[in-house]
């Protein structure tokens, strides 16, 4: 059975760096890897994809044709892909990907993976028509851990993404090498940094009880956890690869 990673994350999360590095790492490990670009705004991709959504539609074309902004244009492109799934399957079949380990590079726009139908439909096609065993890799910028309220938001969005996509799910804090050594060490030991999410701001203080309840829900039940990743650290890349293998049954 073939396998696939679906790499998602917000803009600036370093997802394309991870995708390129992971493909290279897996190639060195002896796996035959193919990368598919499904980001219609990703013009300067640092890898050679076996298939790109650019062959079907680009963000620039969508914005010009239907007079939409960047966010609306992105949604339009993924809707267009959903309506052309037969093209997607045919092009993948022509790409000689049989038995290859597939990495899908998705856009970072959060609503595409929290409440939109196109991405689940694409994944369903990969699973049911092409027989792929899928794992979702969700990338979150590591600097969010320095701001407890933003970190809590990232946790909730990660949980929503996990529930919406309904596949084995690995969450990553990317680029931890940009953090201070002390913070990186805490992350490396898989400890939480969600220790003081309560705000002193008078406007936000009204949400303190809600925030405490959300923190308790996430931490007490272990609903979402993050693996640290710095692409220069082979040990961390290997840990991520092993966790993805375990999730997919590779």
């Amino acid at each position: 059975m073939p396998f696939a990673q679906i790499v998602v994350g917000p803009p600036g999360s370093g997802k394309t760096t991870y995708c390129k590095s992971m493909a290279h790492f897996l190639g060195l490990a002896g796996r035959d890897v193919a990368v598919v670009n499904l980001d219609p705004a990703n013009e300067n991709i640092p890898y050679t994809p076996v298939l790109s959504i650019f062959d079907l539609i680009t963000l620039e074309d969508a914005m010009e044709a239907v007079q939409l902004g960047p966010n609306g244009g992105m949604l339009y492109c993924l809707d267009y892909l959903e309506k052309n799934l037969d093209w997607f399957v045919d092009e993948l079949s022509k790409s000689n990907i049989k038995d290859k380990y597939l990495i899908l590079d998705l856009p970072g726009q959060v609503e595409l993976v929290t409440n939109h139908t196109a991405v689940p439909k694409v994944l369903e096609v990969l699973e049911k028509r092409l027989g792929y065993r899928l794992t979702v890799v969700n990338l979150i910028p590591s600097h969010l851990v320095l701001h407890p309220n933003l970190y809590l938001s990232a946790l909730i969005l990660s949980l929503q993404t996990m529930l919406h996509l309904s596949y084995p799910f690995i969450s990553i804090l990317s680029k931890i090498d940009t953090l201070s050594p002390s913070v990186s060490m805490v992350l490396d030991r898989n400890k939480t940094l969600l220790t003081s999410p309560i705000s002193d701001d008078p406007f936000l203080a009204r949400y303190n009880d809600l925030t405490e309840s959300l923190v308790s829900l996430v931490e007490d039940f272990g609903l979402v956890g993050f693996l640290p990743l710095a692409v220069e650290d082979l040990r961390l890349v290997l840990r991520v690869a092993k966790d993805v293998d375990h999730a997919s049954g590779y």
Side-chain angles (χ1 to χ4, degrees):
M1 176 179 289
F3 295 80
Q5 290 182 42
I6 303 94
V7 183
V8 300
S13 66
K15 62 184 178 61
T16 52
T17 302
Y18 165 79
C19 188
K20 176 186 176 183
S21 299
M22 185 56 73
H24 182 232
F25 172 81
L26 294 175
L28 292 176
R31 300 186 194 178
D32 195 1
V33 179
V35 185
V36 174
N37 174 47
L38 293 183
D39 186 347
N42 196 4
E43 297 180 354
N44 300 311
I45 50 179
Y47 54 83
T48 302
V50 296
L51 175 62
S52 176
I53 194 175
F54 279 17
D55 299 327
L56 178 68
I57 191 172
T58 69
L59 177 61
E60 184 178 353
D61 291 341
M63 292 170 60
E64 182 176 346
V66 290
Q67 299 299 301
L68 293 171
N71 291 336
M74 187 71 73
L75 292 171
Y76 181 91
C77 289
L78 270 291
D79 282 335
Y80 193 75
L81 175 62
E82 182 181 355
K83 293 177 181 178
N84 289 273
L85 288 176
D86 287 337
W87 169 87
F88 179 65
V89 172
D90 290 343
E91 291 299 311
L92 276 180
S93 300
K94 294 176 186 177
S95 301
N96 191 28
I97 62 165
K98 184 179 180 181
D99 298 326
K100 289 189 176 183
Y101 191 101
L102 202 63
I103 297 179
L104 274 70
D105 189 11
L106 293 180
Q109 193 169 344
V110 66
E111 55 263 41
L112 293 174
V113 291
T114 56
N115 54 13
H116 196 248
T117 61
V119 172
K121 290 292 185 182
V122 170
L123 302 186
E124 183 180 354
V125 162
L126 283 169
E127 181 183 35
K128 296 185 176 179
R129 292 177 60 178
L130 297 177
Y132 270 85
R133 186 177 295 174
L134 307 175
T135 301
V136 177
V137 180
N138 180 44
L139 296 178
I140 298 295
S142 60
H143 67 82
L144 294 184
V145 303
L146 302 178
H147 308 280
N149 289 323
L150 296 180
Y151 183 42
L152 179 59
S153 298
L155 286 173
I156 301 305
L157 282 174
S158 297
L159 179 59
Q160 187 175 351
T161 301
M162 179 172 61
L163 295 174
H164 183 62
L165 297 183
S166 301
Y167 289 99
F169 194 85
I170 305 292
S171 284
I172 305 292
L173 283 174
S174 65
K175 296 186 177 181
I176 68 160
D177 53 308
T178 61
L179 302 177
S180 68
S182 59
V183 174
S184 298
M185 184 178 298
V186 173
L187 291 174
D188 195 29
R189 292 174 179 173
N190 294 316
K191 295 182 179 179
T192 180
L193 294 180
L194 205 57
T195 56
S196 56
I198 307 304
S199 176
D200 294 327
D201 185 284
F203 177 78
L204 297 176
R206 71 183 73 178
Y207 302 111
N208 283 348
D209 289 343
L210 174 62
T211 301
E212 286 184 325
S213 297
L214 289 173
V215 170
S216 177
L217 176 67
V218 170
E219 292 193 330
D220 292 351
F221 291 91
L223 296 176
V224 181
F226 292 96
L227 288 176
L229 179 64
V231 294
E232 297 84 1
D233 191 327
L234 182 60
R235 178 179 56 89
L236 296 181
V237 175
L238 179 60
R239 181 195 293 180
V240 169
K242 285 183 175 180
D243 273 49
V244 173
D245 285 348
H246 179 74
S248 64
Y250 183 85

